Amino acid sequence: MLWLGIAIILVTFWMLYKNYEARLVLVVSGIVMAVLAQFAGTSVSLTSVVNAFINQLINPGLVTVITTVMGFGYVMTYTKCSDHLVNALVRPLTKVPVVVIPGTVLITWFLNVILPSAAGIAASVGVLLIPALIALKVRPVMAAAAVFLGTWGSVISPGNPFNPQVASIAHKTGEILEPDLMIVIAQEFVPSCLGILVATIALTILCKFKNEGVGSTATKEDAAQEDKTIKVNPLMAIIPIVPLFLLIIASKQVGWLPTKTFSVPVCMLLGTALGLVAALVNKQKIGEASKRFCRGAGDGFCDVIVLMAAAALFAAGMKAIGLTGAIVDAMKGSQEVAMFSAAIGPWAMATLTGSGNAAAIAFNEAITPYAADFGLTVVQLGSVAQIAAGIGRSMSPIAGAAIILAGIAGVNPMEVVKRTSLPCVLALIVVSVGMFTLN
């Protein structure tokens, strides 16, 4: 049965690598393992495996967070508040050429914390920064690489679905009293910041070594890129930051506002309300803005919640066939094996498939609850898995963000990845070591 389970896992990962529909692949794989377990006479029922899928669909700690965050993001895009924020942050870069490359990386990373969509932030930042960098005679491929390297900032975002997932697991195991995702983010913050700083320095050195920074030769076609800058409205630029600011000052670590009152959904709804006001002021259709929120919430449920439910069913199938127990037993003898698996597994899958979501979610559902057996905490193991997936995505040539940025710059995605790979590997090492030693 274990060998059959391993074969199913390998086929599952191969299908994910080939970009088959992830939710369907995970569900079918989980059901197949559960059925095999039934035929083998195990005590696990097929109903209990299916219930793992259903329970995730109604998980209040995940559903309310993901749907409101996605709805808020769609409203920010419709009202162009996100465009104003991006312009406000990137415009100063053109005034100080020496900080252009590191500034691009760090600004993109910071913006991705606020607007946690790698492809979305790549599109909104890329159309602004890449032409600006090319105008400064930065090579187009390096301009795209600088933006792409910053697209894993979402790993410490309240809108990242993995953070509430890790918080929920930590709460269920008794590690934390409440499923507060800000507790998870607080532990991830310093290692992640160290990781992006090391990655930024590495790319800056690489840029200098390859002579692709400010002042390098640019073609006429590159210089003809359209300028996407707009006149910044400071009030509109502030609106996307409001929910994040409220969450920070309402966290237990700061405590300026009551934590239970200012939850993630509440803060996102307050930010959405401000977005609706902005729509009115700018004479946009408030009804359309409302529809965008609903569409974002629906897409969040479809693209994120259902994927997490599929991963939960997959994990339940692994447990039913005995694979989870075997993996946990194998990892119990070595804390180092558990630490290595958490970092390398999701990272490798994200690099190969362009999205580490399925691998990170599956790892956290199947392995992370047993973190104490390895001498680790749930937050340590789960956070490393999801951060590794985010970093891996930033060095995948088939990631949506890579394709978008390569298209804007007019270069090959593989050439972009050649420049982000080393910085991403260094970031993975720094973040992993930081999570396992600083917390």
Side-chain angles (χ1 to χ4, degrees):
M1 292 298 291
L2 288 178
W3 285 111
L4 280 173
I6 292 172
I8 293 170
I9 297 297
L10 293 175
V11 171
T12 300
F13 283 174
W14 179 84
M15 295 182 77
L16 292 174
Y17 170 68
K18 289 295 184 178
N19 287 322
Y20 286 92
E21 213 290 308
R23 290 161 293 194
L24 179 62
V25 170
L26 291 171
V27 167
V28 171
S29 298
I31 292 293
V32 169
M33 287 188 284
V35 170
L36 288 174
Q38 289 275 281
F39 280 119
T42 65
S43 59
V44 180
S45 68
L46 182 60
T47 301
S48 66
V49 174
V50 175
N51 282 339
F53 179 89
I54 296 171
N55 291 336
Q56 200 73 306
L57 295 180
I58 58 175
N59 186 331
L62 294 175
V63 176
T64 55
V65 170
I66 301 307
T67 53
T68 53
V69 167
M70 292 288 285
F72 168 73
Y74 275 44
V75 171
M76 292 300 99
T77 300
Y78 174 70
T79 59
K80 298 192 181 301
C81 288
S82 56
D83 287 348
H84 284 271
L85 174 61
V86 170
N87 273 272
L89 291 175
V90 304
R91 189 170 296 171
L93 287 183
T94 60
K95 309 297 182 183
V96 189
V98 71
V99 300
V100 161
I101 297 302
T104 298
V105 177
L106 294 176
I107 285 176
T108 305
W109 195 82
F110 170 72
L111 288 170
N112 198 206
V113 176
I114 299 171
L115 304 169
S117 166
I121 208 67
S124 59
V125 173
V127 296
L128 297 169
L129 268 181
I130 290 177
L133 296 182
I134 291 173
L136 292 172
K137 295 186 178 181
V138 174
R139 293 300 301 168
V141 67
M142 181 55 68
V147 176
F148 189 38
L149 185 59
T151 56
W152 62 274
S154 60
V155 298
I156 59 169
S157 171
N160 181 343
F162 301 115
N163 288 322
Q165 181 196 31
V166 173
S168 177
I169 295 171
H171 175 61
K172 289 177 181 177
T173 59
E175 184 176 307
I176 58 178
L177 297 178
E178 298 178 8
D180 185 355
L181 63 86
M182 295 306 291
I183 295 175
V184 176
I185 292 174
Q187 293 190 41
E188 296 170 341
F189 183 77
V190 172
S192 296
C193 288
L194 291 175
I196 190 58
L197 285 176
V198 169
T200 301
I201 293 170
L203 185 68
T204 304
I205 294 173
L206 182 64
C207 177
K208 181 69 174 178
F209 177 78
K210 296 178 73 68
N211 191 29
E212 293 181 342
V214 175
S216 60
T217 304
T219 65
K220 294 180 180 179
E221 290 78 10
D222 296 331
Q225 294 277 354
E226 183 182 358
D227 187 1
K228 300 288 184 179
T229 58
I230 61 175
K231 184 177 181 181
V232 174
N233 182 322
L235 293 178
M236 293 185 69
I238 289 172
I239 291 176
I241 305 176
V242 170
L244 182 62
F245 176 74
L246 290 174
L247 284 170
I248 291 173
I249 63 175
S251 66
K252 291 182 178 179
Q253 291 76 16
V254 179
W256 292 356
L257 293 174
T259 301
K260 291 184 177 181
T261 300
F262 289 87
S263 62
V264 173
V266 169
C267 292
M268 293 301 159
L269 289 173
L270 288 173
T272 300
L274 291 175
L276 296 179
V277 172
L280 279 175
V281 171
N282 289 296
K283 298 180 180 180
Q284 292 177 298
K285 295 180 180 179
I286 191 171
E288 183 61 28
S290 176
K291 289 180 181 178
R292 296 298 177 94
F293 176 85
C294 296
R295 174 57 58 193
D299 285 352
F301 192 91
C302 172
D303 297 336
V304 180
I305 299 299
V306 177
L307 175 60
M308 298 184 80
L313 190 152
F314 177 74
M318 286 179 59
K319 188 174 182 179
I321 207 170
L323 194 56
T324 299
I327 293 173
V328 170
D329 289 340
M331 295 171 76
K332 279 182 180 178
S334 175
Q335 186 183 74
E336 289 74 18
V337 171
M339 294 161 62
F340 183 82
S341 300
I344 297 302
W347 169 79
M349 282 301 297
T351 303
L352 292 172
T353 66
S355 172
N357 290 0
I361 291 173
F363 184 94
N364 282 341
E365 287 289 341
I367 307 300
T368 298
Y370 304 95
D373 293 337
F374 319 132
L376 301 169
T377 68
V378 167
V379 175
Q380 285 177 321
L381 202 62
S383 295
V384 167
Q386 71 96 356
I387 294 172
I391 293 174
R393 186 186 62 236
S394 293
M395 55 180 290
S396 171
I398 60 174
I403 294 170
I404 290 169
L405 293 168
I408 294 172
V411 296
N412 190 319
M414 187 60 71
E415 292 300 316
V416 177
V417 167
K418 287 179 181 178
R419 288 153 178 80
T420 62
S421 293
L422 177 59
C424 282
V425 170
L426 293 175
L428 177 65
I429 294 171
V430 170
V431 171
S432 300
V433 172
M435 282 300 305
F436 290 129
T437 59
L438 298 179
N439 295 304

